[in-house]
Amino acid sequence: MQDQARVVAYAKHLDDGHRDDLAAALRGLGAGVRDASAAASATYDVLTLDVGLPDGASSPVRAGLARWSAESGIGAALVPAAVYAPGPKLLIMDVDSTLIRQEVIELLAAHAGREAEVAAVTEAAMRGDLDFAQSLHHRVRTLAGLPTAVIDDVVARIELSDGAEQLVAAYLDAGHRVGVVSGGFAQVLAPLADRLRLSFARANDLEIDGGVLTGRVAGAVVDRREKERVLRAEAAGSGVPLEATIAVGDGANDLDMLAAAGLGVAFRAKPAVRAASDAALDLPDLDVVRYFSGL
């Protein structure tokens, strides 16, 4: 009995030699290679191999693939059949340093002259060294007294990650759902969600009183548990099996969401997140993710 799966390799450049080397490595791990295809963009190449795995061999094949990737310098992911099989799909992503290049809280803190302080706390929280909710409250307090006009300034400065628009469009155009769940802020996220036509967007609310930020978050914090809850709820509500979902993130507060998804993708992520995820994407181009779903 063999399980069907797919191996997707990605790098700035791939050739026939890389294909043959990967196929040999997979055969050495007991996988049967049935078919191969290639695609390319201006910034990356993708190689897709359909494979058959011996019953129960997914974990050792994934580990062997990780070793091959480390030795070759080529990213590679073992994708379960449910993720790319025909049927409804769901892509859910983190926002800061994933969908967009920046950390919104740092852009806001720059207006208070405290960007360096906030950046240090953000870095520790994303590594998992600090409790996310506590770190968020600490960072938001630095914003107290800022006028709401700073939100518009930050929205204007946001830069999407390379490939983000193409990835979102590929899913939506194929009739699938794409959403984000963020430890950032709804007031900044809303215009971006409208621009990208996202199916849903969930984030924290900055408390505002009299046209200024109070330095507090209104309501419960969107933490790692809430990110997983949103993934599960959106999948169930849209009739998408959890095993057919893909989650993408970079920080420790994404870990539960990445673990619950059918495929958890660490995008230019912290070491602990890379180690715990199904796939590590270090190319600075989110568009690669659509190949995991066969789009």
Side-chain angles (χ1 to χ4, degrees):
M1 182 71 178
Q2 283 198 332
D3 293 328
Q4 305 307 309
R6 180 168 285 174
V7 172
V8 180
Y10 36 92
K12 288 184 178 180
H13 173 68
L14 293 170
D15 56 32
D16 291 345
H18 295 124
R19 180 199 61 200
D20 295 343
D21 187 44
L22 176 56
L26 289 168
R27 292 188 182 100
L29 294 166
V33 179
R34 303 192 319 275
D35 193 20
S37 61
S41 78
T43 57
Y44 64 84
D45 292 345
V46 171
L47 174 65
T48 300
L49 281 68
D50 287 330
V51 300
L53 305 179
D55 192 25
S58 292
S59 293
V61 169
R62 182 173 285 110
L65 192 61
R67 291 193 297 272
W68 179 86
S69 183
E71 292 168 0
S72 67
I74 296 169
L78 180 65
V79 183
V83 172
Y84 60 84
K89 304 180 189 302
L90 172 67
L91 170 65
I92 186 168
M93 292 184 283
D94 175 44
V95 176
D96 294 34
S97 296
T98 301
L99 181 70
I100 67 173
R101 296 179 181 180
Q102 303 106 316
E103 292 283 337
V104 165
I105 185 68
E106 295 171 16
L107 296 179
L108 289 166
H111 288 273
R114 301 179 72 174
E115 182 177 10
E117 172 192 343
V118 167
V121 176
T122 298
E123 178 68 17
M126 293 302 99
R127 289 196 308 265
D129 296 343
L130 298 175
D131 175 78
F132 180 80
Q134 291 179 352
S135 75
L136 181 69
H137 289 306
H138 172 82
R139 288 174 288 165
V140 171
R141 280 196 293 272
T142 68
L143 309 180
L146 289 177
T148 55
V150 302
I151 294 174
D152 293 333
D153 177 78
V154 167
V155 168
R157 293 178 59 194
I158 284 176
E159 299 174 355
L160 288 168
S161 293
D162 289 346
E165 286 189 274
Q166 295 93 323
L167 172 63
V168 171
Y171 264 80
L172 294 178
D173 291 348
H176 304 305
R177 287 172 60 79
V178 183
V180 294
V181 57
S182 172
F185 308 109
Q187 290 92 338
V188 176
L189 180 55
L192 183 61
D194 289 342
R195 169 184 164 187
L196 295 176
R197 301 181 294 120
L198 296 179
S199 308
F200 61 91
R202 175 85 167 87
N204 298 295
D205 281 311
L206 288 167
E207 186 179 80
I208 297 171
D209 185 24
V212 299
L213 305 184
T214 67
R216 294 187 293 270
V217 173
V221 169
V222 177
D223 58 10
R224 58 189 288 176
R225 290 173 292 277
E226 177 64 5
K227 288 192 171 195
E228 180 189 358
R229 189 202 69 77
V230 172
L231 165 62
R232 292 182 179 276
E234 289 292 338
S238 55
V240 178
L242 197 61
E243 57 267 25
T245 64
I246 293 182
V248 186
D250 75 302
N253 62 326
D254 297 314
L255 283 170
D256 293 357
M257 176 178 76
L258 296 176
L263 188 74
V265 181
F267 179 65
R268 308 187 75 185
K270 306 298 182 289
V273 181
R274 288 174 52 89
S277 299
D278 301 312
L281 176 56
D282 294 325
L283 286 176
D285 198 320
L286 275 175
D287 191 43
V288 173
V289 173
R290 66 187 173 98
Y291 291 94
F292 300 148
S293 287
L295 299 181

